Amino acid sequence: MSAAPKPIMLWAVPRSRSTAFLRVMLERGDLEVLHEPFSYLQMDGRFEIAGRHVTSTTELLDAMLALNDGGRRVFAKDTSDYKYTSLLEDERLFNGVVNTFMIREPRSAIASHYAMNPKATLDEYGFEYLHAIFEAVRANTGEVPLVIDGDDLVAAPEATVRAYCEHVGLEFMPEALHWDPDKRPNWQRTARWHAEVAASSGLAAKPSGRPERRETPDTNEHLRRIAEYHQPFYDALARHRLVRR
């Protein structure tokens, strides 16, 4: 009997449209989809997975691997605004999981993040730590992990999702690119961060119209410095971007 395909992990910089990508994975119907399990574990000190309460990254990874071996492949999305030190010390993350990455042009991602949380620290914008996770995966596997870009996702959704699926060994399902708007129960705690996805019915950039009144690196010196700090980490990851616009 052949071994089950490995669980898929999508590591994403905050505000990269990673929840929209997760929504595509949910719509497929053939995956066990986990929304930011390691982040919730960091926030709450516990996480529930398949009826099991876990309190450490070791237990959470145990549960993910066991769930994956149960017959339905696991897809988990998480963000790089928290540190996962003990997880990156667990060899199973590298030899038992397919790690993929998602980025977005820093000026846009940072402006969006600041609009949601103006008290965010430099680290919480996530580009530097996402790059650190990427390098840990590359060093431990000897392979360059897959990187997709949130701007590519909305500019060329079918091409981006198709290429991602091909890379991780999933059948491409074009019908999963569209869904009925809904609010997921496990998004309730962080619902305001996912409001746009909950109200959406597919992958698309925001329609043009009246511009938002939002601070950006062009209008805010603090954001300009943050964007300049994170730009090299984005550039290093963007060199490996799968789909180019």
PDB file of all heavy atoms in Angstrom, residues 14-15 104-118 125 127 193 212-220 223-224 226-227:
ATOM      1  N   PRO A  14       1.034  38.048   6.654  1.00  0.00           N
ATOM      2  CA  PRO A  14      -0.315  38.566   6.897  1.00  0.00           C
ATOM      3  C   PRO A  14      -0.767  39.514   5.790  1.00  0.00           C
ATOM      4  O   PRO A  14       0.020  40.251   5.206  1.00  0.00           O
ATOM      5  CB  PRO A  14      -0.165  39.323   8.234  1.00  0.00           C
ATOM      6  CG  PRO A  14       0.985  38.645   8.920  1.00  0.00           C
ATOM      7  CD  PRO A  14       1.929  38.277   7.815  1.00  0.00           C
ATOM      8  N   ARG A  15      -2.052  39.460   5.488  1.00  0.00           N
ATOM      9  CA  ARG A  15      -2.705  40.313   4.482  1.00  0.00           C
ATOM     10  C   ARG A  15      -2.198  40.028   3.073  1.00  0.00           C
ATOM     11  O   ARG A  15      -2.145  40.916   2.217  1.00  0.00           O
ATOM     12  CB  ARG A  15      -2.550  41.801   4.821  1.00  0.00           C
ATOM     13  CG  ARG A  15      -2.914  42.171   6.243  1.00  0.00           C
ATOM     14  CD  ARG A  15      -4.310  41.711   6.627  1.00  0.00           C
ATOM     15  NE  ARG A  15      -5.352  42.473   5.958  1.00  0.00           N
ATOM     16  CZ  ARG A  15      -6.643  42.157   5.976  1.00  0.00           C
ATOM     17  NH1 ARG A  15      -7.047  41.056   6.593  1.00  0.00           N
ATOM     18  NH2 ARG A  15      -7.522  42.914   5.363  1.00  0.00           N
ATOM     19  N   ARG A 104       3.102  38.875  -0.729  1.00  0.00           N
ATOM     20  CA  ARG A 104       2.401  39.950  -1.421  1.00  0.00           C
ATOM     21  C   ARG A 104       3.281  41.189  -1.359  1.00  0.00           C
ATOM     22  O   ARG A 104       4.017  41.382  -0.389  1.00  0.00           O
ATOM     23  CB  ARG A 104       1.043  40.232  -0.769  1.00  0.00           C
ATOM     24  CG  ARG A 104       0.203  41.275  -1.510  1.00  0.00           C
ATOM     25  CD  ARG A 104      -1.072  41.591  -0.749  1.00  0.00           C
ATOM     26  NE  ARG A 104      -1.848  42.644  -1.384  1.00  0.00           N
ATOM     27  CZ  ARG A 104      -2.879  43.272  -0.813  1.00  0.00           C
ATOM     28  NH1 ARG A 104      -3.243  42.937   0.429  1.00  0.00           N
ATOM     29  NH2 ARG A 104      -3.521  44.214  -1.454  1.00  0.00           N
ATOM     30  N   GLU A 105       3.215  41.999  -2.363  1.00  0.00           N
ATOM     31  CA  GLU A 105       4.036  43.214  -2.424  1.00  0.00           C
ATOM     32  C   GLU A 105       3.926  43.968  -1.098  1.00  0.00           C
ATOM     33  O   GLU A 105       2.815  44.256  -0.636  1.00  0.00           O
ATOM     34  CB  GLU A 105       3.554  44.069  -3.598  1.00  0.00           C
ATOM     35  CG  GLU A 105       4.438  45.248  -3.917  1.00  0.00           C
ATOM     36  CD  GLU A 105       4.115  46.450  -3.035  1.00  0.00           C
ATOM     37  OE1 GLU A 105       2.922  46.746  -2.868  1.00  0.00           O
ATOM     38  OE2 GLU A 105       5.065  47.069  -2.523  1.00  0.00           O
ATOM     39  N   PRO A 106       5.064  44.289  -0.435  1.00  0.00           N
ATOM     40  CA  PRO A 106       5.026  44.793   0.939  1.00  0.00           C
ATOM     41  C   PRO A 106       4.224  46.066   1.146  1.00  0.00           C
ATOM     42  O   PRO A 106       3.536  46.207   2.166  1.00  0.00           O
ATOM     43  CB  PRO A 106       6.506  45.025   1.266  1.00  0.00           C
ATOM     44  CG  PRO A 106       7.246  44.109   0.369  1.00  0.00           C
ATOM     45  CD  PRO A 106       6.432  44.036  -0.898  1.00  0.00           C
ATOM     46  N   ARG A 107       4.306  46.998   0.245  1.00  0.00           N
ATOM     47  CA  ARG A 107       3.626  48.272   0.481  1.00  0.00           C
ATOM     48  C   ARG A 107       2.116  48.059   0.630  1.00  0.00           C
ATOM     49  O   ARG A 107       1.470  48.636   1.509  1.00  0.00           O
ATOM     50  CB  ARG A 107       3.942  49.249  -0.662  1.00  0.00           C
ATOM     51  CG  ARG A 107       5.410  49.655  -0.707  1.00  0.00           C
ATOM     52  CD  ARG A 107       5.746  50.414  -1.972  1.00  0.00           C
ATOM     53  NE  ARG A 107       5.082  51.705  -2.002  1.00  0.00           N
ATOM     54  CZ  ARG A 107       5.584  52.808  -1.444  1.00  0.00           C
ATOM     55  NH1 ARG A 107       6.735  52.766  -0.809  1.00  0.00           N
ATOM     56  NH2 ARG A 107       4.935  53.942  -1.522  1.00  0.00           N
ATOM     57  N   SER A 108       1.553  47.196  -0.207  1.00  0.00           N
ATOM     58  CA  SER A 108       0.121  46.919  -0.130  1.00  0.00           C
ATOM     59  C   SER A 108      -0.219  46.090   1.104  1.00  0.00           C
ATOM     60  O   SER A 108      -1.196  46.373   1.813  1.00  0.00           O
ATOM     61  CB  SER A 108      -0.343  46.189  -1.393  1.00  0.00           C
ATOM     62  OG  SER A 108      -0.119  46.964  -2.537  1.00  0.00           O
ATOM     63  N   ALA A 109       0.570  45.052   1.359  1.00  0.00           N
ATOM     64  CA  ALA A 109       0.297  44.193   2.513  1.00  0.00           C
ATOM     65  C   ALA A 109       0.429  44.963   3.815  1.00  0.00           C
ATOM     66  O   ALA A 109      -0.377  44.803   4.737  1.00  0.00           O
ATOM     67  CB  ALA A 109       1.244  42.995   2.495  1.00  0.00           C
ATOM     68  N   ILE A 110       1.432  45.804   3.903  1.00  0.00           N
ATOM     69  CA  ILE A 110       1.673  46.564   5.132  1.00  0.00           C
ATOM     70  C   ILE A 110       0.587  47.602   5.350  1.00  0.00           C
ATOM     71  O   ILE A 110       0.108  47.793   6.471  1.00  0.00           O
ATOM     72  CB  ILE A 110       3.079  47.190   5.082  1.00  0.00           C
ATOM     73  CG1 ILE A 110       4.125  46.087   5.299  1.00  0.00           C
ATOM     74  CG2 ILE A 110       3.242  48.304   6.104  1.00  0.00           C
ATOM     75  CD1 ILE A 110       5.539  46.492   4.969  1.00  0.00           C
ATOM     76  N   ALA A 111       0.155  48.271   4.292  1.00  0.00           N
ATOM     77  CA  ALA A 111      -0.936  49.242   4.437  1.00  0.00           C
ATOM     78  C   ALA A 111      -2.210  48.551   4.897  1.00  0.00           C
ATOM     79  O   ALA A 111      -2.939  49.059   5.758  1.00  0.00           O
ATOM     80  CB  ALA A 111      -1.170  49.963   3.111  1.00  0.00           C
ATOM     81  N   SER A 112      -2.500  47.373   4.344  1.00  0.00           N
ATOM     82  CA  SER A 112      -3.689  46.622   4.734  1.00  0.00           C
ATOM     83  C   SER A 112      -3.586  46.164   6.186  1.00  0.00           C
ATOM     84  O   SER A 112      -4.565  46.226   6.937  1.00  0.00           O
ATOM     85  CB  SER A 112      -3.858  45.419   3.801  1.00  0.00           C
ATOM     86  OG  SER A 112      -4.972  44.649   4.167  1.00  0.00           O
ATOM     87  N   HIS A 113      -2.405  45.694   6.579  1.00  0.00           N
ATOM     88  CA  HIS A 113      -2.200  45.241   7.958  1.00  0.00           C
ATOM     89  C   HIS A 113      -2.342  46.400   8.944  1.00  0.00           C
ATOM     90  O   HIS A 113      -2.994  46.278   9.983  1.00  0.00           O
ATOM     91  CB  HIS A 113      -0.814  44.613   8.075  1.00  0.00           C
ATOM     92  CG  HIS A 113      -0.619  43.782   9.304  1.00  0.00           C
ATOM     93  ND1 HIS A 113       0.221  42.702   9.332  1.00  0.00           N
ATOM     94  CD2 HIS A 113      -1.129  43.874  10.560  1.00  0.00           C
ATOM     95  CE1 HIS A 113       0.204  42.151  10.529  1.00  0.00           C
ATOM     96  NE2 HIS A 113      -0.601  42.861  11.288  1.00  0.00           N
ATOM     97  N   TYR A 114      -1.745  47.530   8.608  1.00  0.00           N
ATOM     98  CA  TYR A 114      -1.805  48.704   9.481  1.00  0.00           C
ATOM     99  C   TYR A 114      -3.239  49.187   9.656  1.00  0.00           C
ATOM    100  O   TYR A 114      -3.636  49.618  10.746  1.00  0.00           O
ATOM    101  CB  TYR A 114      -0.947  49.817   8.890  1.00  0.00           C
ATOM    102  CG  TYR A 114      -0.864  51.061   9.749  1.00  0.00           C
ATOM    103  CD1 TYR A 114      -0.013  51.118  10.851  1.00  0.00           C
ATOM    104  CD2 TYR A 114      -1.624  52.187   9.446  1.00  0.00           C
ATOM    105  CE1 TYR A 114       0.066  52.261  11.635  1.00  0.00           C
ATOM    106  CE2 TYR A 114      -1.550  53.334  10.221  1.00  0.00           C
ATOM    107  CZ  TYR A 114      -0.708  53.358  11.309  1.00  0.00           C
ATOM    108  OH  TYR A 114      -0.632  54.494  12.087  1.00  0.00           O
ATOM    109  N   ALA A 115      -4.039  49.098   8.604  1.00  0.00           N
ATOM    110  CA  ALA A 115      -5.444  49.507   8.702  1.00  0.00           C
ATOM    111  C   ALA A 115      -6.204  48.635   9.696  1.00  0.00           C
ATOM    112  O   ALA A 115      -7.138  49.099  10.360  1.00  0.00           O
ATOM    113  CB  ALA A 115      -6.103  49.444   7.327  1.00  0.00           C
ATOM    114  N   MET A 116      -5.807  47.372   9.810  1.00  0.00           N
ATOM    115  CA  MET A 116      -6.448  46.457  10.749  1.00  0.00           C
ATOM    116  C   MET A 116      -5.859  46.564  12.147  1.00  0.00           C
ATOM    117  O   MET A 116      -6.566  46.405  13.143  1.00  0.00           O
ATOM    118  CB  MET A 116      -6.299  45.004  10.248  1.00  0.00           C
ATOM    119  CG  MET A 116      -6.898  44.732   8.880  1.00  0.00           C
ATOM    120  SD  MET A 116      -8.677  45.027   8.822  1.00  0.00           S
ATOM    121  CE  MET A 116      -9.258  43.821   9.995  1.00  0.00           C
ATOM    122  N   ASN A 117      -4.562  46.831  12.225  1.00  0.00           N
ATOM    123  CA  ASN A 117      -3.878  46.866  13.518  1.00  0.00           C
ATOM    124  C   ASN A 117      -2.753  47.901  13.495  1.00  0.00           C
ATOM    125  O   ASN A 117      -1.591  47.571  13.242  1.00  0.00           O
ATOM    126  CB  ASN A 117      -3.305  45.484  13.863  1.00  0.00           C
ATOM    127  CG  ASN A 117      -2.579  45.466  15.196  1.00  0.00           C
ATOM    128  OD1 ASN A 117      -2.772  46.356  16.037  1.00  0.00           O
ATOM    129  ND2 ASN A 117      -1.731  44.475  15.397  1.00  0.00           N
ATOM    130  N   PRO A 118      -3.077  49.162  13.781  1.00  0.00           N
ATOM    131  CA  PRO A 118      -2.049  50.209  13.745  1.00  0.00           C
ATOM    132  C   PRO A 118      -0.988  50.065  14.836  1.00  0.00           C
ATOM    133  O   PRO A 118       0.035  50.740  14.788  1.00  0.00           O
ATOM    134  CB  PRO A 118      -2.856  51.504  13.925  1.00  0.00           C
ATOM    135  CG  PRO A 118      -4.136  51.078  14.542  1.00  0.00           C
ATOM    136  CD  PRO A 118      -4.421  49.709  14.042  1.00  0.00           C
ATOM    137  N   TYR A 125       4.510  42.278  10.913  1.00  0.00           N
ATOM    138  CA  TYR A 125       4.231  42.396   9.484  1.00  0.00           C
ATOM    139  C   TYR A 125       4.703  41.159   8.729  1.00  0.00           C
ATOM    140  O   TYR A 125       4.240  40.906   7.625  1.00  0.00           O
ATOM    141  CB  TYR A 125       4.847  43.674   8.929  1.00  0.00           C
ATOM    142  CG  TYR A 125       4.088  44.906   9.396  1.00  0.00           C
ATOM    143  CD1 TYR A 125       4.514  45.636  10.497  1.00  0.00           C
ATOM    144  CD2 TYR A 125       2.922  45.305   8.765  1.00  0.00           C
ATOM    145  CE1 TYR A 125       3.823  46.741  10.950  1.00  0.00           C
ATOM    146  CE2 TYR A 125       2.203  46.413   9.195  1.00  0.00           C
ATOM    147  CZ  TYR A 125       2.659  47.123  10.298  1.00  0.00           C
ATOM    148  OH  TYR A 125       1.953  48.212  10.749  1.00  0.00           O
ATOM    149  N   PHE A 127       7.272  39.611   7.060  1.00  0.00           N
ATOM    150  CA  PHE A 127       8.102  39.250   5.914  1.00  0.00           C
ATOM    151  C   PHE A 127       9.426  38.622   6.344  1.00  0.00           C
ATOM    152  O   PHE A 127       9.882  37.645   5.750  1.00  0.00           O
ATOM    153  CB  PHE A 127       8.366  40.479   5.037  1.00  0.00           C
ATOM    154  CG  PHE A 127       7.184  40.909   4.224  1.00  0.00           C
ATOM    155  CD1 PHE A 127       6.279  41.836   4.720  1.00  0.00           C
ATOM    156  CD2 PHE A 127       6.967  40.387   2.957  1.00  0.00           C
ATOM    157  CE1 PHE A 127       5.183  42.228   3.979  1.00  0.00           C
ATOM    158  CE2 PHE A 127       5.873  40.785   2.197  1.00  0.00           C
ATOM    159  CZ  PHE A 127       4.975  41.699   2.721  1.00  0.00           C
ATOM    160  N   TRP A 193     -10.810  40.352  10.326  1.00  0.00           N
ATOM    161  CA  TRP A 193      -9.675  40.169   9.438  1.00  0.00           C
ATOM    162  C   TRP A 193     -10.073  39.436   8.154  1.00  0.00           C
ATOM    163  O   TRP A 193      -9.359  39.505   7.148  1.00  0.00           O
ATOM    164  CB  TRP A 193      -8.573  39.370  10.139  1.00  0.00           C
ATOM    165  CG  TRP A 193      -7.892  40.134  11.243  1.00  0.00           C
ATOM    166  CD1 TRP A 193      -8.331  40.273  12.527  1.00  0.00           C
ATOM    167  CD2 TRP A 193      -6.664  40.873  11.164  1.00  0.00           C
ATOM    168  NE1 TRP A 193      -7.451  41.037  13.254  1.00  0.00           N
ATOM    169  CE2 TRP A 193      -6.419  41.411  12.443  1.00  0.00           C
ATOM    170  CE3 TRP A 193      -5.750  41.098  10.137  1.00  0.00           C
ATOM    171  CZ2 TRP A 193      -5.293  42.187  12.716  1.00  0.00           C
ATOM    172  CZ3 TRP A 193      -4.626  41.865  10.405  1.00  0.00           C
ATOM    173  CH2 TRP A 193      -4.406  42.399  11.680  1.00  0.00           C
ATOM    174  N   GLU A 212     -10.173  53.974  -0.960  1.00  0.00           N
ATOM    175  CA  GLU A 212     -10.236  53.885   0.483  1.00  0.00           C
ATOM    176  C   GLU A 212      -9.385  54.986   1.111  1.00  0.00           C
ATOM    177  O   GLU A 212      -8.332  55.349   0.582  1.00  0.00           O
ATOM    178  CB  GLU A 212      -9.704  52.527   0.951  1.00  0.00           C
ATOM    179  CG  GLU A 212     -10.567  51.364   0.582  1.00  0.00           C
ATOM    180  CD  GLU A 212     -10.005  50.083   1.178  1.00  0.00           C
ATOM    181  OE1 GLU A 212     -10.030  49.940   2.412  1.00  0.00           O
ATOM    182  OE2 GLU A 212      -9.546  49.252   0.407  1.00  0.00           O
ATOM    183  N   ARG A 213      -9.822  55.450   2.255  1.00  0.00           N
ATOM    184  CA  ARG A 213      -9.018  56.401   3.016  1.00  0.00           C
ATOM    185  C   ARG A 213      -8.137  55.571   3.941  1.00  0.00           C
ATOM    186  O   ARG A 213      -8.532  55.195   5.037  1.00  0.00           O
ATOM    187  CB  ARG A 213      -9.914  57.358   3.786  1.00  0.00           C
ATOM    188  CG  ARG A 213     -10.828  58.180   2.895  1.00  0.00           C
ATOM    189  CD  ARG A 213     -11.638  59.182   3.670  1.00  0.00           C
ATOM    190  NE  ARG A 213     -10.778  60.174   4.321  1.00  0.00           N
ATOM    191  CZ  ARG A 213     -11.238  61.178   5.062  1.00  0.00           C
ATOM    192  NH1 ARG A 213     -12.540  61.304   5.281  1.00  0.00           N
ATOM    193  NH2 ARG A 213     -10.407  62.029   5.606  1.00  0.00           N
ATOM    194  N   ARG A 214      -6.941  55.264   3.478  1.00  0.00           N
ATOM    195  CA  ARG A 214      -6.044  54.369   4.190  1.00  0.00           C
ATOM    196  C   ARG A 214      -4.638  54.944   4.177  1.00  0.00           C
ATOM    197  O   ARG A 214      -4.164  55.427   3.157  1.00  0.00           O
ATOM    198  CB  ARG A 214      -6.068  52.994   3.524  1.00  0.00           C
ATOM    199  CG  ARG A 214      -5.057  52.008   4.052  1.00  0.00           C
ATOM    200  CD  ARG A 214      -5.109  50.696   3.302  1.00  0.00           C
ATOM    201  NE  ARG A 214      -6.297  49.923   3.625  1.00  0.00           N
ATOM    202  CZ  ARG A 214      -6.577  48.744   3.117  1.00  0.00           C
ATOM    203  NH1 ARG A 214      -5.746  48.188   2.247  1.00  0.00           N
ATOM    204  NH2 ARG A 214      -7.680  48.105   3.451  1.00  0.00           N
ATOM    205  N   GLU A 215      -3.969  54.862   5.326  1.00  0.00           N
ATOM    206  CA  GLU A 215      -2.570  55.249   5.385  1.00  0.00           C
ATOM    207  C   GLU A 215      -1.742  54.263   4.561  1.00  0.00           C
ATOM    208  O   GLU A 215      -1.989  53.046   4.582  1.00  0.00           O
ATOM    209  CB  GLU A 215      -2.082  55.228   6.836  1.00  0.00           C
ATOM    210  CG  GLU A 215      -2.721  56.295   7.717  1.00  0.00           C
ATOM    211  CD  GLU A 215      -2.105  57.658   7.521  1.00  0.00           C
ATOM    212  OE1 GLU A 215      -1.230  57.812   6.639  1.00  0.00           O
ATOM    213  OE2 GLU A 215      -2.487  58.584   8.247  1.00  0.00           O
ATOM    214  N   THR A 216      -0.767  54.766   3.845  1.00  0.00           N
ATOM    215  CA  THR A 216       0.113  53.936   3.027  1.00  0.00           C
ATOM    216  C   THR A 216       1.549  54.390   3.246  1.00  0.00           C
ATOM    217  O   THR A 216       1.796  55.449   3.853  1.00  0.00           O
ATOM    218  CB  THR A 216      -0.234  54.073   1.529  1.00  0.00           C
ATOM    219  OG1 THR A 216       0.207  55.367   1.081  1.00  0.00           O
ATOM    220  CG2 THR A 216      -1.725  53.906   1.277  1.00  0.00           C
ATOM    221  N   PRO A 217       2.515  53.654   2.749  1.00  0.00           N
ATOM    222  CA  PRO A 217       3.895  54.128   2.831  1.00  0.00           C
ATOM    223  C   PRO A 217       4.122  55.463   2.131  1.00  0.00           C
ATOM    224  O   PRO A 217       5.121  56.140   2.410  1.00  0.00           O
ATOM    225  CB  PRO A 217       4.698  52.996   2.161  1.00  0.00           C
ATOM    226  CG  PRO A 217       3.889  51.776   2.440  1.00  0.00           C
ATOM    227  CD  PRO A 217       2.458  52.235   2.304  1.00  0.00           C
ATOM    228  N   ASP A 218       3.231  55.849   1.231  1.00  0.00           N
ATOM    229  CA  ASP A 218       3.356  57.149   0.571  1.00  0.00           C
ATOM    230  C   ASP A 218       2.875  58.295   1.450  1.00  0.00           C
ATOM    231  O   ASP A 218       3.294  59.441   1.254  1.00  0.00           O
ATOM    232  CB  ASP A 218       2.555  57.156  -0.737  1.00  0.00           C
ATOM    233  CG  ASP A 218       3.152  56.236  -1.780  1.00  0.00           C
ATOM    234  OD1 ASP A 218       4.396  56.089  -1.797  1.00  0.00           O
ATOM    235  OD2 ASP A 218       2.385  55.668  -2.574  1.00  0.00           O
ATOM    236  N   THR A 219       2.014  57.990   2.408  1.00  0.00           N
ATOM    237  CA  THR A 219       1.438  59.053   3.245  1.00  0.00           C
ATOM    238  C   THR A 219       1.909  58.995   4.695  1.00  0.00           C
ATOM    239  O   THR A 219       1.661  59.920   5.451  1.00  0.00           O
ATOM    240  CB  THR A 219      -0.101  58.944   3.252  1.00  0.00           C
ATOM    241  OG1 THR A 219      -0.500  57.695   3.836  1.00  0.00           O
ATOM    242  CG2 THR A 219      -0.658  59.035   1.830  1.00  0.00           C
ATOM    243  N   ASN A 220       2.590  57.915   5.070  1.00  0.00           N
ATOM    244  CA  ASN A 220       2.940  57.689   6.465  1.00  0.00           C
ATOM    245  C   ASN A 220       4.409  57.278   6.542  1.00  0.00           C
ATOM    246  O   ASN A 220       4.800  56.234   6.025  1.00  0.00           O
ATOM    247  CB  ASN A 220       2.033  56.589   7.034  1.00  0.00           C
ATOM    248  CG  ASN A 220       2.231  56.354   8.510  1.00  0.00           C
ATOM    249  OD1 ASN A 220       3.335  56.103   8.960  1.00  0.00           O
ATOM    250  ND2 ASN A 220       1.132  56.403   9.255  1.00  0.00           N
ATOM    251  N   LEU A 223       5.139  53.814   8.078  1.00  0.00           N
ATOM    252  CA  LEU A 223       4.898  52.703   7.165  1.00  0.00           C
ATOM    253  C   LEU A 223       5.958  52.635   6.069  1.00  0.00           C
ATOM    254  O   LEU A 223       6.329  51.545   5.625  1.00  0.00           O
ATOM    255  CB  LEU A 223       3.508  52.814   6.541  1.00  0.00           C
ATOM    256  CG  LEU A 223       2.324  52.663   7.494  1.00  0.00           C
ATOM    257  CD1 LEU A 223       1.019  52.672   6.711  1.00  0.00           C
ATOM    258  CD2 LEU A 223       2.432  51.401   8.325  1.00  0.00           C
ATOM    259  N   ARG A 224       6.456  53.785   5.657  1.00  0.00           N
ATOM    260  CA  ARG A 224       7.511  53.788   4.637  1.00  0.00           C
ATOM    261  C   ARG A 224       8.752  53.071   5.164  1.00  0.00           C
ATOM    262  O   ARG A 224       9.360  52.252   4.461  1.00  0.00           O
ATOM    263  CB  ARG A 224       7.872  55.216   4.233  1.00  0.00           C
ATOM    264  CG  ARG A 224       8.902  55.277   3.100  1.00  0.00           C
ATOM    265  CD  ARG A 224       9.371  56.705   2.845  1.00  0.00           C
ATOM    266  NE  ARG A 224      10.121  57.229   3.968  1.00  0.00           N
ATOM    267  CZ  ARG A 224      11.391  56.920   4.226  1.00  0.00           C
ATOM    268  NH1 ARG A 224      12.057  56.073   3.448  1.00  0.00           N
ATOM    269  NH2 ARG A 224      12.004  57.457   5.263  1.00  0.00           N
ATOM    270  N   ILE A 226       8.855  50.811   7.549  1.00  0.00           N
ATOM    271  CA  ILE A 226       8.533  49.385   7.694  1.00  0.00           C
ATOM    272  C   ILE A 226       8.621  48.682   6.343  1.00  0.00           C
ATOM    273  O   ILE A 226       9.192  47.587   6.226  1.00  0.00           O
ATOM    274  CB  ILE A 226       7.131  49.210   8.301  1.00  0.00           C
ATOM    275  CG1 ILE A 226       7.129  49.653   9.773  1.00  0.00           C
ATOM    276  CG2 ILE A 226       6.662  47.760   8.190  1.00  0.00           C
ATOM    277  CD1 ILE A 226       5.765  49.682  10.397  1.00  0.00           C
ATOM    278  N   ALA A 227       8.064  49.319   5.313  1.00  0.00           N
ATOM    279  CA  ALA A 227       8.100  48.721   3.979  1.00  0.00           C
ATOM    280  C   ALA A 227       9.533  48.577   3.481  1.00  0.00           C
ATOM    281  O   ALA A 227       9.901  47.550   2.883  1.00  0.00           O
ATOM    282  CB  ALA A 227       7.279  49.553   3.011  1.00  0.00           C
TER     283      ALA A 227
END
